């Protein structure tokens, strides 16, 4: 998959617009999103009944076509044909960004393969909305979405993530969130975490604490869709090598590094100051541990 795509200007085909919808508060619908939904020929919606409520609220008369996980393969050829015929299509999910834990990715790939412009609109996203208010380190972060439902597969996924140092973002339903928090604690240890629910709605709430504390908080009150954020693993403490510092630097220089770069690398790997490595390498003073 390669090439250059200009989003705007003259095209021989229609355009596929990816339109975010509110995650709870209709006031978060942008004017551009409303205008786009009014202007396109058809809206490909995850649930036409749900989307119709949104269209009614904003007085949008554009017709819909269903596009969800159960009819993706059957719908894609039909939608691509419409786009190739010059029709513009807006793709929406029930809430938030298309393709993020919702249908859309396959249609995007099919449009790209057919040289059809794909234009994303900015808008609501539950994961980032929760992250910036969580209090956890916001960057870097890893968005995971929904974990596997099968216990063995979920356990394997969490074990693989245990050494991840970025803040991790997950989506979870109220019916599984307590059990999932327990599985996270078993895999990660009792780390700091935040659970956000009912984002942008009247009962929006953030629960902060250790994973064990969140389980206790939610034992009897797990309602609403959840964004669960877990602090990343602490950075590994450098393990000093038993090889003398000067020999380590010499080996790095022999591999092609400059002495300055080699000294810096050896200092970082051993958790000591660069001056100590410099002195040892040049035979100025005996190497000392960093204070």
């Amino acid at each position: 998959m390669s090439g250059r795509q200009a989003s705007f200007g003259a095209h021989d085909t229609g355009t596929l617009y990816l339109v975010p919808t509110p995650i709870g508060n209709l006031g978060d619908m942008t004017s551009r999103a409303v205008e786009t939904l009014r202007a396109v020929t058809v809206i490909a919606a995850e649930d036409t009944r749900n989307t119709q409520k949104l269209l009614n609220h904003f007085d949008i008369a554009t017709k819909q076509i269903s596009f969800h996980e159960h009819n993706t393969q059957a719908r894609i050829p039909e939608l691509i044909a419409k786009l190739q015929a010059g029709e513009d299509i807006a793709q929406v999910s029930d809430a938030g960004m298309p393709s993020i834990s919702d249908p859309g990715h396959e249609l995007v790939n099919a449009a790209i393969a057919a040289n059809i412009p794909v234009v994303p609109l900015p808008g609501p996203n539950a994961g980032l909305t929760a992250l910036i208010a969580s209090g956890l380190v916001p960057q870097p972060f890893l968005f995971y979405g929904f974990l596997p439902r099968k216990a063995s597969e979920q356990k394997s996924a969490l074990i693989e993530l245990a050494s991840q140092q970025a803040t991790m973002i997950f989506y979870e339903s109220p019916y599984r969130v307590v059990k999932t928090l327990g599985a996270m604690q078993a895999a990660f240890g009792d780390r700091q975490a935040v659970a956000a629910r009912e984002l942008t709605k009247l009962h929006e709430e953030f629960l902060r604490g250790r994973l064990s504390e969140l389980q206790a908080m939610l034992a009897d009150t797990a309602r609403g869709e959840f964004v669960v954020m877990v602090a990343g693993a602490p950075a590994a403490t450098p393990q000093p090598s038993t090889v003398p510092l000067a020999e380590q630097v010499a080996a790095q220089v022999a591999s092609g590094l400059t002495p300055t770069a080699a000294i810096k690398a050896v200092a970082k790997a051993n958790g000591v100051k660069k001056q100590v490595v410099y002195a040892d390498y040049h035979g100025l003073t005996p190497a000392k541990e960093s204070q």
Side-chain angles (χ1 to χ4, degrees), residues 197-279:
R197 70 180 192 92
E198 297 290 87
L199 288 169
T200 76
K201 300 178 184 178
L202 180 62
H203 298 292
E204 176 178 286
E205 185 177 26
F206 288 83
L207 297 88
R208 300 179 175 92
R210 298 286 176 180
L211 285 166
S212 60
E213 294 174 321
L214 297 191
Q215 292 173 66
M217 292 181 202
L218 292 170
D220 300 314
T221 59
R223 294 187 296 271
E225 296 300 314
F226 282 85
V227 178
V228 176
M229 296 152 287
V230 184
T237 302
Q239 297 298 317
S241 171
T242 57
V243 177
L245 296 175
E247 292 183 22
Q248 293 183 52
V249 175
Q252 295 275 19
V253 171
S255 71
L257 289 183
T258 65
T260 299
I263 288 169
K264 182 178 180 180
V266 170
K268 182 177 181 181
N270 289 269
V272 299
K273 295 179 179 179
K274 288 185 290 184
Q275 297 93 321
V276 173
V277 181
Y278 179 92

Side-chain angles (χ1 to χ4, degrees), residues 62-146:
T62 308
K63 67 179 181 180
Q64 297 187 71
I65 185 172
S66 65
F67 181 69
H68 48 72
E69 61 180 335
H70 302 297
N71 70 355
T72 298
Q73 296 308 314
R75 278 285 192 248
I76 286 178
E78 179 181 354
L79 295 173
I80 294 298
K82 288 180 179 293
L83 288 161
Q84 290 175 326
E87 297 183 20
D88 290 334
I89 295 177
Q91 200 255 315
V92 301
S93 62
D94 283 348
M97 290 279 184
S99 297
I100 303 297
S101 297
D102 286 317
H105 175 66
E106 295 89 345
L107 179 59
V108 169
N109 278 348
I112 293 171
N115 200 31
I116 293 167
V118 178
V119 176
L121 274 65
N125 173 266
L128 293 182
T129 300
L131 177 64
I132 61 174
S134 68
L136 299 177
V137 177
Q139 187 179 327
F141 68 85
L142 170 70
F143 174 78
Y144 191 96
F146 285 97

